[in-house]
Amino acid sequence: MNTWSQLFFQDSSSPLMEQLLFFHDHTMLIIMVITMLISYMLTSVLFNSFSFRFLLEGQSIEIIWTIMPAIILIFIALPSLHLLYLLDEIYSPSLTIKTIGHQWYWSYEYSDFNKIEFDSYMIPSNEMANQMFRLLEVDNNTVIPFNTQIRILITAADVLHSWAMPSMGIKADATPGRLNQSNLFSTRPGLFYGQCSEICGANHSFMPITLESISSLFFSKWIMKNL
């Protein structure tokens, strides 16, 4: 989860987030090379006193500074398009979870099991136990099995919300009357925290998301307990 002093992304807990981090590093490397090159050129122009008053045109340099940006954009666009298709593709999900945004809480339905549905409210500060995280803990965690392909359906009952889980690279709008879907795949057990990322009213910051990733065996026991 994020801390107050954290400057970079959260540690990845899904293959999609790993790809997003790789793409970020790839793009930042290109940007740093361009920045250093431009800085060197500006510095050399400022500190030299050479001039060529007969220079009217430079076809070679114009060809270079036209072709080079196009090549750089291709190096950025190709992995970006590949990642875009990876984010949209959902291959044979083993489990489907529907999440509905309300003012101001989330409700969940496990579509493969008729009787499993619950609301998830933030735990108030005066009811929190030790070692809990303020504004991030909920009374009912969303339980998922790790190493399992999961499809999550996202919508809203009243106004616009956004279901976001940064460590898994997911941020999908919850729109009333519309059903969005995303791919969820956790690579390790643990608790993962997110929040509504669309300003939805006075208590927008009080509707967190908590995913509890557990093994398939414990998930089966949880299912049987809640049926």
Side-chain angles (χ1 to χ4, degrees), residues 4-44:
W4 66 272
S5 60
Q6 186 170 337
L7 299 178
F8 301 103
F9 293 102
Q10 296 183 28
D11 292 337
S12 169
S13 59
S14 74
L16 291 179
M17 188 58 185
E18 290 177 4
Q19 293 297 319
L20 287 169
L21 292 177
F22 291 151
F23 177 68
H24 170 266
D25 295 341
H26 168 77
T27 309
M28 285 301 297
L29 179 62
I30 294 175
I31 292 173
M32 289 175 64
V33 171
I34 293 173
T35 303
M36 289 188 290
L37 178 62
I38 297 301
S39 300
Y40 169 76
M41 294 174 65
L42 287 174
T43 304
S44 63

Side-chain angles (χ1 to χ4, degrees), residues 83-101:
L83 183 56
L84 185 64
Y85 280 100
L86 284 179
L87 291 171
D88 283 341
E89 290 294 330
I90 300 177
Y91 301 101
S92 303
S94 302
L95 179 67
T96 298
I97 300 174
K98 183 179 180 181
T99 176
I100 305 169

Side-chain angles (χ1 to χ4, degrees), residues 60-105:
S60 299
I61 191 65
E62 288 187 6
I63 291 173
I64 291 172
W65 71 39
T66 301
I67 294 178
M68 283 300 294
I71 294 174
I72 292 171
L73 288 175
I74 290 173
F75 274 96
I76 295 175
L78 290 179
S80 175
L81 289 173
H82 174 69
L83 183 56
L84 185 64
Y85 280 100
L86 284 179
L87 291 171
D88 283 341
E89 290 294 330
I90 300 177
Y91 301 101
S92 303
S94 302
L95 179 67
T96 298
I97 300 174
K98 183 179 180 181
T99 176
I100 305 169
H102 303 267
Q103 288 185 309
W104 288 272
Y105 64 96

Side-chain angles (χ1 to χ4, degrees), residues 190-214:
L191 287 174
F192 306 101
Y193 298 97
Q195 288 179 305
C196 176
S197 296
E198 185 75 35
I199 298 177
C200 56
N203 293 327
H204 157 68
S205 58
F206 300 136
M207 48 183 304
I209 304 158
T210 302
L211 280 184
E212 184 176 352
S213 179
I214 58 178

